[in-house]
Every structure is written in structure tokens, then in C-alpha cells.
DNA sequence: GTATCATTGAAATTGAAATTCAATAACGAT
DNA sequence: ATCGTTATTGAATTTCAATTTCAATGATAC
């Protein structure tokens, strides 16, 4: 019962907001959980269509917003790229290397960077909410 | 002759591209150099209008693109915010703390972070082109 | 069963940014 | 200084992602 937790989290969330679970929302959730890629709305829409061709673009958008609200999904805005989404539930915080040529995305995490960021924020009297670190470059395959 | 260098850089750049210096471009350059803020196009347009009310929005856009090409300006895309521009000539690389409440922008630079970023990129066989680090939080004034 | 109200898909709208186009003007050649 | 080529301009339009509107539908509580 792989989907159980995530499904419950969404169910809980919509209940709290006085909203409802619908077949369409279940399909979008399943489609989203079914890929480990950093999907954009268009790609997810295509995956959703395979399961139920009657579901609209607007519903995919609206459901993704719900998934972000309950932290099942995280919105990613890379420079000059359209918005993408990744799994957030059971996934640890990380930053990204992005290939400017082929679009390849590599995840990384570095405790030291995180630590220094906190220190910098503290020194400037900022209470940190979140941060965005994106390293753009050319991957090894694209350099050949 | 404060503007001399910057003006020459733009002049050089347009000549190289077979383009031309125009009064409008000079006005946009002057207006841009005249503020140390991280301006968006709208704000710069207002500053430009004070000097010459006949200059259009499109020209401000087009000139900013030129200024970025010759590295007099740098485009900044903060999460969920519209595009801003800052001086690049004679300014060292830095990252930003952004207040989510009042929009205040604080610049910082940390050698150690830069260094680790390079190391991470190297470990993943990426050749770094650039990076974007933005820390979002609440500034001290907004916490009172 | 009925009233209530969230949800849907399709279409329209928004907002930032880029582009089109005919008139104008920069600038190198003469 | 004049000319001819061709880049530039302002106004309007277009693009594109993202959001919103709206009438019809459907789920839930009583
Ligand atoms: Mn990721
Ligand atoms: Mn800055
Ligand atoms: Zn690549
Ligand atoms: Zn603030």
C-alpha cells in the first residue's frame, strides 16, 4: 500500500479546508506519485491523460496547488525555465545542479552550505523561511 | 566624468554588433546608472520618463537587454517576483537575502559557500556557468 | 429527496515579456 | 553637408505560462 500515506495526507488536507476528494484529484495524485522526475504541468498533464483523458489542464494545475499546500509536492522555479514539481513527502531538502544544455537535473545536499547560509542570515538579522540554490552548468555528457 | 566608462562599454558593444547609440539608449543608461536600487522595468521606466517622457516601455526593455549583454547590468529573477536589474560593472559577485514581507534586499558574499559550490559541481562533473542563491526570510524591522 | 456548495472542463483573462510594423533617424561613405 | 542604407522607435499586438470565470455537475449533510 505504497500510496496510503500520501493519499491520507491529501484527504486530511482537503477535509481541513472544507474541500473534497474527487476521482480527478486521485488520478492526478497517482500520476504525480508515479513519476520520480521533476515534472512540469504539461508533462504531468500527459501522464494524467493516460489514466483519464477527460481530465482538464486546469484540474491538474489546481490539484498541484493542493499537493503543494499539504507538502506532498514542492514547486521548483529554475531560472528561465517553466515551473516544475517534485515529490516532497519523505524526501529530504536538497538543491540542484541544472545542465544548461540538456536540462539534466542533479540533486545534491551539503550541510556546510546550509550551515553557512543560516549564519549569514543570522548576521543580517533575517529569520530564514527558505532558500533557493541552483547551480547552472554543463554536464559531462554535454561536454563531449 | 562618472558615466564615461559605462558609456564607452555600451558604445563598444553596439558597434561590435553593428548597432547604434541613440539618445533614448543614453537616457536609459543614465537613468539606470543613476539608481543603486535593484530596479524592475516598471520602476526604471518611471525614472526614464522623468528625463524624457516620450521614451517607450519597449525601448527600456530593449536597452536593458543590451546592458545585460555587455555586462553593465545583471538580470535578477527572485522567486515569485518580477525581473529586476542591478549594476554589474565594477560590482563584485554577490548573493541576496530577500525579505518576504517588505521586499528588502540585502547583498552578501561568502567565499566558503562559493568554494563548496565549485566542489559540488566538480564532484558531479558539471562545468559551472553561474549560480543563483537566494535566501528568503523576514528582516528585523518586519519582525517588530 | 432536497438544499447547499465544492468541483469540473472549457474558455476567457491576466501579467510579464517579446515581437511586429511603418515611420523615423543614426552614421559611414562620399 | 548630403545621401543611402539599415537600425531604431513607439504603439500596438502577440506570446506564453498561469490563473480565473462560469454554468453545469456532483457530492454531502440533513
Ligand atoms: Mn529535486
Ligand atoms: Mn545585488
Ligand atoms: Zn547536459
Ligand atoms: Zn522586511
Amino acid at each position: 500500500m505504497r500510496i496510503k500515506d500520501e493519499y491520507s495526507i491529501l484527504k486530511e488536507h482537503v477535509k481541513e479546508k472544507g474541500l473534497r476528494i474527487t476521482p480527478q484529484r486521485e488520478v492526478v495524485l497517482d500520476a504525480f506519485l508515479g513519476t520520480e522526475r521533476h515534472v512540469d504541468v504539461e508533462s504531468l498533464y500527459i501522464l494524467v491523460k493516460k489514466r483519464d483523458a477527460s481530465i482538464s489542464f486546469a484540474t491538474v494545475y489546481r490539484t498541484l496547488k493542493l499537493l503543494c499546500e499539504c507538502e506532498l509536492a514542492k514547486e521548483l522555479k529554475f531560472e528561465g525555465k517553466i515551473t516544475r514539481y517534485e515529490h516532497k513527502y519523505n524526501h529530504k531538502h536538497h538543491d540542484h545542479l541544472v545542465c544548461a544544455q540538456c536540462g539534466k537535473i542533479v540533486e545534491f545536499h551539503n550541510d556546510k552550505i546550509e550551515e553557512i547560509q543560516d549564519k549569514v542570515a543570522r548576521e543580517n538579522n533575517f529569520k530564514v523561511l527558505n532558500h533557493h540554490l541552483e547551480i547552472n552548468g554543463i554536464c559531462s555528457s554535454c561536454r563531449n
Side-chain angles (χ1 to χ4, degrees), chain A residues 36-40 76 84-86 94 96 105 107:
Chain A
E36 282 295 331
R37 289 160 42 214
H38 297 79
V39 284
D40 56 28
L76 299 172
R84 288 170 175 274
Y85 297 86
E86 67 179 3
H94 58 268
H96 298 93
I105 297 171
E107 305 184 334

Side-chain angles (χ1 to χ4, degrees), chain A residues 2-11 21-35 44 48 51 55 59-60 63-64 66-68 70 72-73 87 89:
Chain A
R2 197 196 160 291
I3 212 186
K4 190 63 189 325
D5 278 1
E6 287 93 334
Y7 182 79
S8 307
I9 289 169
L10 178 59
K11 201 168 167 184
I21 287 286
T22 65
Q24 290 91 339
R25 286 176 178 165
E26 289 185 27
V27 170
V28 175
L29 174 61
D30 285 355
F32 176 67
L33 295 176
T35 178
L44 184 58
V48 165
R51 296 165 189 246
I55 295 178
T59 293
V60 176
T63 307
L64 275 171
L66 286 178
L67 298 186
C68 287
C70 61
L72 286 173
H87 294 184
Y89 180 68

Side-chain angles (χ1 to χ4, degrees), chain A residues 12-122:
Chain A
E12 185 83 3
H13 178 70
V14 296
K15 178 176 278 183
E16 269 172 25
K17 288 192 76 183
L19 307 180
R20 297 165 187 168
I21 287 286
T22 65
Q24 290 91 339
R25 286 176 178 165
E26 289 185 27
V27 170
V28 175
L29 174 61
D30 285 355
F32 176 67
L33 295 176
T35 178
E36 282 295 331
R37 289 160 42 214
H38 297 79
V39 284
D40 56 28
V41 183
E42 174 83 37
S43 315
L44 184 58
Y45 175 63
I46 290 167
L47 294 173
V48 165
K49 282 263 162 187
K50 284 184 188 161
R51 296 165 189 246
D52 181 344
S54 73
I55 295 178
S56 73
F57 214 79
T59 293
V60 176
Y61 258 109
R62 290 186 278 229
T63 307
L64 275 171
K65 179 169 277 182
L66 286 178
L67 298 186
C68 287
E69 285 171 7
C70 61
E71 306 204 312
L72 286 173
K74 183 175 188 324
E75 193 180 73
L76 299 172
K77 299 190 174 199
F78 296 123
E79 297 246 84
K81 301 268 170 61
I82 63 177
T83 303
R84 288 170 175 274
Y85 297 86
E86 67 179 3
H87 294 184
K88 181 158 182 182
Y89 180 68
N90 268 344
H91 288 249
K92 287 206 303 287
H93 165 76
H94 58 268
D95 299 306
H96 298 93
L97 281 154
V98 183
C99 177
Q101 190 116 48
C102 68
K104 181 179 174 187
I105 297 171
V106 175
E107 305 184 334
F108 73 89
H109 178 84
N110 185 288
D111 278 329
K112 192 72 190 162
I113 288 184
E114 304 283 327
E115 196 180 297
I116 300 173
Q117 282 177 27
D118 284 345
K119 186 176 130 268
V120 167
R122 218 177 309 119

